[in-house]
Amino acid sequence: MAAAVAAQGVLAPPLTTVVRDQLGLALAIVVAAWATGTAVYQRRRYTEQLAAQAEERARARAMAERLRIARELHDVIGHGLGTIAVQAGVAGHLGGAEEMRGALTSIEETSRSALRETRRLLGVLREDGEAELAPAPGLADLGALAERTRAAGLEVELKIDGEVEGEMELTVYRIVQEALTNVLKHAGARHVRVRVERQGDGLVVEVVDDGTRGPAGPYGHGLTGLRERVRVLGGEFEAGARPLRGFRVMARLPL
């Protein structure tokens, strides 16, 4: 009898309380689902943005590499063909067999050098990795470059007092190469002075000829490419006619 009375004394919770608890649970489930969905969506958006940025950076790197190779090919082929054209013209006016043999030998050496560098650049574009990449030209190759230019009939005075390596060494070589090519093709000069000298915390590369003054105007493709090379390395570049005669190309590269 006492147990029955005790059982009757336990009252069931009000109906409104049960409904309120169920509604709260349902609302918590909805909020949790919404938060989870929002987090997944935001994560997907973030991942897509990262992928798009990575793709854009890859395209930028590919474009920069194409521009770099285009500049390299311009310098290699422009110098090689320009020098060969001058040497062939000289050979056509030579009467002696010895002079003719010297001019043809220089043409052969220039052609081989241009072919080696062209193969090196084209080897970079191969995807199978089977190309044998020759080392890029540097300061040690300036002597051979000067000799080939002398064979084309231009007196070259070369002075090197400083050492660099890597991309800067290739840049120094290209500056001298492009400057000598322009002298051969346009200046009508007899003498050119090439100076590579360390000054303080920088390296100065200067090429000065005694040819006719060129017209004042914007840089051509070759000089524009040199200016871009120097700018990438944080240096300064100047090119222009001298006050009386000749043309001067100068670059100051930070070490």
Side-chain angles (χ1 to χ4, degrees):
M1 183 66 178
V5 172
Q8 291 178 359
V10 178
L11 301 177
L15 182 61
T16 55
T17 302
V18 175
V19 173
R20 185 170 59 248
D21 291 343
Q22 291 177 346
L23 288 177
L25 178 61
L27 180 60
I29 294 174
V30 171
V31 170
W34 176 83
T36 302
T38 301
V40 171
Y41 173 76
Q42 293 294 341
R43 180 66 181 176
R44 184 181 298 124
R45 287 286 306 275
Y46 178 69
T47 303
E48 292 174 352
Q49 290 174 358
L50 287 181
Q53 292 173 0
E55 184 178 354
E56 184 64 26
R57 287 194 297 269
R59 283 198 297 265
R61 286 194 298 268
M63 179 61 69
E65 183 67 8
R66 284 196 293 268
L67 290 175
R68 185 190 70 81
I69 293 176
R71 287 196 299 265
E72 291 283 316
L73 285 174
H74 172 274
D75 293 343
V76 171
I77 297 174
H79 172 76
L81 293 181
T83 305
I84 289 171
V86 172
Q87 292 168 337
V90 172
H93 292 84
L94 295 176
E98 190 65 29
E99 291 84 357
M100 179 73 74
R101 187 180 299 108
L104 293 177
T105 299
S106 181
I107 289 175
E108 179 183 7
E109 292 176 352
T110 302
S111 303
R112 291 183 183 277
S113 176
L115 283 174
R116 280 195 302 270
E117 289 199 60
T118 301
R119 287 181 182 136
R120 177 182 67 84
L121 291 171
L122 295 179
V124 175
L125 301 178
R126 293 174 62 96
E127 297 181 356
D128 53 17
E130 296 179 357
E132 295 183 1
L133 302 182
L139 296 185
D141 301 289
L142 288 179
L145 177 63
E147 285 298 326
R148 292 195 297 269
T149 307
R150 292 188 186 103
L154 183 65
E155 298 177 9
V156 180
E157 176 186 346
L158 176 62
K159 177 183 178 182
I160 302 177
D161 183 16
E163 295 182 359
V164 290
E165 58 184 17
E167 182 66 21
M168 187 173 293
E169 186 173 11
L170 177 60
T171 297
V172 172
Y173 182 89
R174 293 299 184 213
I175 291 172
V176 177
Q177 183 185 53
E178 179 63 24
L180 291 179
T181 302
N182 287 339
V183 174
L184 283 174
K185 293 194 297 185
H186 308 302
R190 298 182 58 186
H191 180 271
V192 60
R193 184 177 72 253
V194 179
R195 179 171 63 98
V196 180
E197 183 179 15
R198 179 163 185 167
Q199 294 183 358
D201 58 352
L203 189 76
V204 174
V205 184
E206 185 182 53
V207 181
V208 180
D209 67 73
D210 62 354
T212 56
R213 292 186 63 193
Y219 293 160
H221 291 296
L223 293 180
T224 298
L226 293 184
R227 182 177 58 182
E228 293 172 352
R229 285 176 182 271
V230 173
R231 181 183 299 173
V232 167
L233 296 177
E236 304 172 4
F237 181 79
E238 298 177 6
R242 302 171 69 196
L244 298 179
R245 281 184 67 87
F247 199 83
R248 175 176 178 263
V249 173
M250 191 281 293
R252 185 183 302 275
L253 303 171
L255 295 177

